[in-house]
Amino acid sequence: MKVTSEQILNALSHVDDPDLHKDLVTLNMIRNIVIEGNLVKFDVELTTPACPMKDMIRNACVNAVHHFVSKDLEVDPNMTSRVTTTRDTESMLPGVKNIVAVASGKGGVGKSTVTVNLALALAQTGARVGVLDADIYGPSIPTMFGLKGSHPEMKDNKILPLERKGIKVLSIGFLVDEKQAIVWRGPMASSAIRQMVSDVAWGELDYLLIDLPPGTGDIHLTITQSIPLTGAVMVTTPQNVALADCRKAMGMFSNQHINIPVLGVLENMSYFSPPELPDKKYYLFGQGGGMVLASEYGVPLLGMIPISETVMRNTDSGTMESPEVEIAAIYRAVAGELARHIAIVNMKRKSPNNVPSSTE
Ligand SMILES: Nc1ncnc2c1ncn2[C@@H]1O[C@H](COP(=O)(O)OP(=O)(O)OP(=O)(O)O)[C@@H](O)[C@H]1O
Ligand SMILES: [Mg+2]
C-alpha cells in the first residue's frame, strides 16, 4: 500500500488541540511529513515547549494515523513548538512574543519567588525567557538570581540584560545604588520602568515575566498603560486579607480602560507537608482561597505551591538551584498551565501576527 501525505493529513485532521478546540491541520501545526516505506514522520508544532499535553497529543496523532490510514505503519511524531504571539511586531520589543506581569494585592505573598521559579521552569523546557524586575523601590530579583552587585554592559546605546541559567535578567538594582531609587517620586520611577523596557536589548524572547511591586500604584499604571502586556498572573496566599487585596489588583487589570487578561490565579504558601509525612497537608493559612478567587473572576487556578524551606533558602540566597523534586514538579506544572493559557489568550485574539519563529 502506498501511503500519501494527504492521507496522513486527513488522519491528523481528526486530532484536536484540547485547548484551542480546533484540529491540528487547521491550526497549521503539522509540518514536514516524510514517508519512508512503513515509517511515517512529521513535526507537530505546539504553541509552547512547556505544553503539559505533549504526550497526550503525540499519542492521539499515532492513534489517528493507525485508525484512519493503517495499523501497520510505524508513526513517529516529532513534538516541536512555536510560541504564539499576538503582539504587534511594529511596537516596542518586537522580538518579545509574550509579556506577562506577575502581580499581587498584598506584599510578601511570593511574587518574586514565583517569578524566578516560573522563569526557571519555562527556560528548562527550552523556551527563551527574560525577567524584568519592576519593583523599583524594593528590588529582590538581583538577590534571588544571585546577581547582586552585578552591572550590565552597554552595546549600541542599549543596556544588555544580565544572564543566569539562560534567563535574561534586568533590575533597577543593577543600574543605580539601592538607596538612590528609594527616594524617587512616581514619575521618575515610571520613567525608569519605561527605559528598562525600551532601552534594553531584550532580543528574541518567548516569555518576558515582569515582577511587579505589590499593590496598585504608579508603577502598575505605567506598566499597564505603556507596555503591551499579554496578560497578568495574580499571586495570592490563602488568607482572607490577601484575597481581598488581590481582588483590588484584579480589578485594576480587568478595568474596562486597561482590559488586560488575567491569565490565572496562583496560590502560594498553600500548605505545608512535613518531610517525614509527605502525604500530609497542613493548611496553615486556610484552604481554598485561590480557587474561590479564580472562580469569582472566571479565570483558571494555575496551581497551589506549598510552603517550602528549600524554596525560601534557594531564592533568598540566590543559588538558583532547582527546588526539591516535588516542588520542581509543581512549578513545572504551573509553568505549563501558564503557557497553555497564554496560547489560549493568543488564539482568542486571532491576530494575523500569530506566526512566530521556531524555538526547538
Ligand atoms: N512557597 C514558599 N515557601 C516558603 N517561603 C516562601 C515561599 N514563597 C515565598 N517565600 C518566601 O517569602 C518571602 C517573600 O517572598 P517574595 O519576596 O517572593 O514576595 P513578594 O510578593 O515578591 O514580596 P514584595 O511584595 O515585597 O515584592 C521570601 O523570603 C521568600 O523566600
Ligand atoms: Mg517582590
Side-chain angles (χ1 to χ4, degrees):
M1 181 188 73
K2 174 110 181 64
V3 177
T4 62
S5 301
E6 284 69 36
Q7 283 174 295
I8 302 299
L9 273 180
N10 175 51
L12 296 174
S13 70
H14 291 88
V15 180
D16 278 1
D17 181 298
D19 285 330
L20 309 180
H21 306 297
K22 285 195 178 153
D23 73 85
L24 303 186
V25 177
T26 305
L27 289 167
N28 211 11
M29 285 180 173
I30 306 298
R31 307 280 165 118
N32 306 324
I33 300 177
V34 177
I35 302 161
E36 292 163 352
N38 249 7
L39 174 66
V40 178
K41 296 196 272 188
F42 48 87
D43 294 341
V44 183
E45 279 180 343
L46 302 172
T47 51
T48 171
C51 180
M53 286 165 299
K54 211 183 262 188
D55 291 343
M56 194 190 105
I57 296 175
R58 189 179 194 283
N59 289 339
C61 289
V62 174
N63 292 340
V65 174
H66 283 161
H67 181 79
F68 291 102
V69 188
S70 161
K71 285 198 297 300
D72 302 329
L73 293 169
E74 187 190 335
V75 188
D76 185 17
N78 173 36
M79 308 307 280
T80 64
S81 64
R82 285 187 308 157
V83 173
T84 50
T85 184
T86 42
R87 297 217 33 245
D88 178 0
T89 48
E90 304 292 309
S91 73
M92 58 162 57
L93 297 182
V96 179
K97 291 182 182 172
N98 296 289
I99 308 181
V100 175
V102 180
S104 77
K106 206 164 104 59
V109 295
K111 287 176 298 302
S112 305
T113 310
V114 158
T115 307
V116 172
N117 285 287
L118 286 184
L120 257 180
L122 285 170
Q124 279 164 1
T125 67
R128 299 162 303 175
V129 184
V131 169
L132 169 63
D133 182 1
D135 199 342
I136 299 282
Y137 301 117
S140 47
I141 288 296
T143 305
M144 291 183 177
F145 271 91
L147 290 168
K148 208 165 160 65
S150 306
H151 297 289
E153 289 175 15
M154 299 283 294
K155 194 177 172 211
D156 304 329
N157 268 335
K158 292 251 181 194
I159 300 167
L160 296 178
L162 295 175
E163 218 166 309
R164 184 93 200 268
K165 299 248 175 178
I167 301 164
K168 291 185 178 168
V169 193
L170 192 71
S171 166
I172 197 72
F174 301 146
L175 304 172
V176 299
D177 186 71
E178 249 177 51
K179 290 176 217 95
Q180 206 179 324
I182 286 172
V183 297
W184 286 353
R185 285 181 189 283
M188 238 177 120
S190 296
S191 127
I193 288 289
R194 272 194 292 270
Q195 279 182 26
M196 288 205 293
V197 175
S198 55
D199 296 353
V200 175
W202 285 105
E204 303 266 314
L205 292 178
D206 295 314
Y207 305 104
L208 175 62
L209 305 184
I210 305 188
D211 178 23
L212 292 183
T216 53
D218 284 345
I219 291 177
H220 300 82
L221 275 181
T222 306
I223 288 178
T224 48
Q225 288 171 354
S226 59
I227 300 177
L229 294 176
T230 308
V233 173
M234 304 303 307
V235 182
T236 184
T237 51
Q239 296 102 318
N240 280 333
V241 272
L243 298 177
D245 287 350
C246 205
R247 282 189 183 95
K248 275 186 227 156
M250 284 175 96
M252 171 183 74
F253 286 107
S254 43
N255 166 311
Q256 56 175 352
H257 302 297
I258 295 178
N259 204 11
I260 290 165
V262 174
L263 298 160
V265 171
L266 182 50
E267 193 185 87
N268 189 30
M269 308 196 216
S270 297
Y271 56 89
F272 176 70
S273 295
E276 62 283 6
L277 289 171
D279 294 332
K280 183 101 191 114
K281 290 180 179 171
Y282 292 99
Y283 294 90
L284 304 179
F285 302 130
Q287 196 177 347
M291 187 47 131
V292 167
L293 200 61
S295 12
E296 213 175 281
Y297 285 84
V299 300
L301 178 68
L302 299 172
M304 292 163 68
I305 298 168
I307 298 169
S308 148
E309 205 191 328
T310 51
V311 163
M312 186 178 69
R313 232 180 309 120
N314 288 352
T315 37
D316 286 0
S317 63
T319 56
M320 290 296 280
E321 272 168 33
S322 292
E324 60 216 357
V325 185
E326 301 88 53
I327 309 268
I330 293 174
Y331 277 119
R332 248 196 325 276
V334 173
E337 284 303 300
L338 173 62
R340 265 181 73 198
H341 288 286
I342 291 172
I344 294 171
V345 161
N346 284 341
M347 181 69 189
K348 283 189 183 151
R349 285 204 189 118
K350 282 204 187 108
S351 154
N353 294 320
N354 225 345
V355 204
S357 59
S358 183
T359 53
E360 271 182 46

